[in-house]
Amino acid sequence: MLTKRQNLLETIRGGNPDRFVKQYEAFGIVMGDPISRNNPSAKRGGPNVVDAWGVTRSWPANVPGGFPVHDYEHKVVKDITKWKEVVKAPKLDYPEEDWAPIVEAAAKIDRNEQFVTVFRAPGIFEQVHYLTGIDDALMYFYEEPEAMHELIDYIVEWMLKYAEQIVKYVRPDCLFQHDDWGSHINSFMSPEMFEEFIVPGFKKIYAYYKANGVELIVHHNDAYSANLVPQMIEMGIDIWQGAVSTNNNPELIKKYGPKITIMGDIDNGILDKEGVTPEEIRRETERACRNCGKLYFIPAMTHGLAFSIFPGVYEAVDAEIDRMSKEMF
C-alpha cells in the first residue's frame, strides 16, 4: 500500500495510485509562524479587530467566516493614487526563537507519509481588495492601472520576503496558498486582465518556493475559474484546490490533466449545511469520483482547509471517498 504522499504523487503524475487521495490527507499543514501570529484576526462573535495591514476585520456570530469591513470610514485605501501614504506592510524580522512553534510542528510530521505544508493567506488579489474594497479594486484595474501595478508589486515583494523566512526555518515540501478569483459562475477578471495584473507576481512567488525545496504548489480558489486554468499552469500551480463543480471539472481534467490536478468538485455550498443527509453526501461524493476519474483528480470538499462549517460533514465525505476507492480501484 502506498503512503499518502506516494499515492498523491502517483495521482498527479498519471501513474498508478492504489486509491483516491482522500481530501487533505497527504498534507501535514503547519501554521503559527510569528508573522501570522502577530497579525490579529477576528474571532467569531467577537469585536472587530484591525490586522497588521490596517484592515478592519469582522466576524459576526451568525455567519460562517470573517470578512473585511469596507465602508468609507474603514477602508485603508480610499484613493488608489495615494496608496503609498496609507499602506504599510507588516514587519517580517522576527528572531529565530519566535519560529520555534512552527519548526517544532513541522518536525513532528513524517515526510515519507505527508508533505510538510505551509499555509499562506491571503494572496495577491485578496490582499489588494482587503485594502481597497472589492468593488473599488475591480474598477481600479480599469481606471488606475499604473497605481494598481505599483501596489501589487509592493505586496509581491513583501510576500517574497515572507517566503524567504518560511523556507529558511520550516523547509516545507508544499505551499498551500489561498487567493479566490471568482464567484461560482465567472471569474472576477477576464483572462487578459488576470494575465496582466495577477500572473506575474504569483510566477515570481511560486518560482521562488520551487527553487528552494518546495515540491508542490497547491492553490485554493473555490470559484469558477475554468477560463484561468492556462494561467494557473503558467504560474506553476500543481494542484488547484477548491474547484467547484460549475467549472465542469471532468472536462478540465481531460484537457489539462497532465499539467494540473483538480482537487474539489464536492461543493461546500451543496453539502456543508444544516440538515444535510447521508444520502446527499453519498450522491455528491460518488458523482465527483465517477465523473472525474482516478488520475489528476483529488475528491475533496471545496472549503479551504480540512474541516467543514457544520460538524461531521467533512468526515462523512471522507467515509464516502473510502467507499468509492473500494469500488473503483
Side-chain angles (χ1 to χ4, degrees):
M1 183 175 177
L2 298 170
T3 68
K4 295 171 184 176
R5 180 176 179 140
Q6 291 168 341
N7 195 56
L8 181 141
L9 290 175
E10 289 294 312
T11 298
I12 71 173
R13 292 173 178 172
N16 293 293
D18 58 20
R19 62 196 184 279
F20 281 115
V21 177
K22 189 165 57 179
Q23 305 202 83
Y24 287 89
E25 66 174 359
F27 306 112
I29 297 176
V30 293
M31 300 185 190
D33 66 77
I35 303 163
S36 61
R37 287 204 314 271
N38 286 281
N39 187 9
S41 59
K43 307 300 181 185
R44 188 170 192 167
N48 289 358
V49 301
V50 178
D51 72 15
W53 287 87
V55 176
T56 301
R57 304 288 196 95
S58 180
W59 191 351
N62 63 335
V63 299
F67 51 85
V69 178
H70 281 146
D71 58 11
Y72 186 80
E73 177 187 352
H74 289 93
K75 282 182 186 177
V76 176
V77 176
K78 297 176 172 64
D79 179 347
I80 192 64
T81 65
K82 298 178 181 178
W83 72 266
K84 292 179 184 178
E85 299 175 13
V86 292
V87 176
K88 182 174 176 57
K91 64 173 287 188
L92 294 165
D93 53 333
Y94 289 90
E96 183 174 354
E97 56 265 27
D98 285 3
W99 286 83
I102 193 170
V103 171
E104 291 170 6
K108 294 177 181 177
I109 295 170
D110 181 354
R111 292 182 188 247
N112 293 314
E113 185 68 27
Q114 292 181 302
F115 294 89
V116 173
T117 304
V118 290
F119 174 88
R120 279 289 298 114
I124 297 169
F125 176 65
E126 289 180 345
Q127 188 61 70
V128 168
H129 74 70
Y130 283 13
L131 292 165
T132 66
I134 193 166
D135 48 354
D136 284 350
L138 294 174
M139 290 188 289
Y140 288 148
F141 284 122
Y142 288 98
E143 296 174 350
E144 298 289 349
E146 183 177 348
M148 285 293 272
H149 276 298
E150 290 175 352
L151 176 57
I152 288 170
D153 288 346
Y154 180 79
I155 292 167
V156 168
E157 287 306 307
W158 181 84
M159 290 177 71
L160 283 168
K161 292 175 182 175
Y162 198 155
E164 290 177 10
Q165 301 301 306
I166 288 173
V167 299
K168 176 182 177 180
Y169 291 108
V170 186
R171 298 186 301 108
D173 306 310
C174 176
L175 170 69
F176 183 38
Q177 173 72 59
H178 274 220
D179 208 35
D180 290 333
W181 296 327
S183 68
H184 278 212
I185 60 173
N186 209 344
S187 59
F188 291 133
M189 287 173 277
S190 69
E192 294 77 18
M193 182 171 281
F194 187 78
E195 179 78 34
E196 177 184 349
F197 288 95
I198 305 301
V199 171
F202 272 122
K203 283 180 72 173
K204 289 181 183 178
I205 293 163
Y206 291 160
Y208 179 84
Y209 277 108
K210 287 200 168 182
N212 286 276
V214 171
E215 187 172 354
L216 291 181
I217 302 295
V218 182
H219 187 105
H220 166 80
N221 165 37
D222 54 347
Y224 177 89
S225 297
N227 55 339
L228 305 180
V229 172
Q231 285 86 353
M232 294 187 208
I233 295 168
E234 180 185 353
M235 287 177 186
I237 294 172
D238 298 291
I239 299 172
W240 170 18
Q241 189 280 325
V244 294
S245 60
T246 52
N247 286 286
N248 193 350
N249 292 312
E251 288 300 314
L252 291 180
I253 291 165
K254 288 178 185 177
K255 187 172 183 180
Y256 299 109
K259 298 177 181 178
I260 193 168
T261 288
I262 299 297
M263 179 176 174
D265 206 59
I266 304 172
D267 294 356
N268 277 68
I270 295 174
L271 297 185
D272 197 1
K273 62 184 181 181
E274 187 174 5
V276 67
T277 66
E279 291 74 22
E280 288 175 297
I281 294 172
R282 172 172 287 221
R283 181 194 68 226
E284 286 301 304
T285 305
E286 181 167 340
R287 174 199 55 75
C289 291
R290 293 198 185 281
N291 289 352
C292 294
K294 300 177 180 180
L295 299 177
Y296 315 118
F297 172 64
I298 298 172
M301 300 188 76
T302 50
H303 186 69
L305 278 170
F307 68 94
S308 52
I309 300 299
F310 289 85
V313 177
Y314 184 91
E315 293 76 11
V317 170
D318 267 355
E320 290 302 320
I321 295 171
D322 281 338
R323 181 179 67 85
M324 294 310 303
S325 287
K326 292 174 182 177
E327 289 195 18
M328 294 180 63
F329 285 82

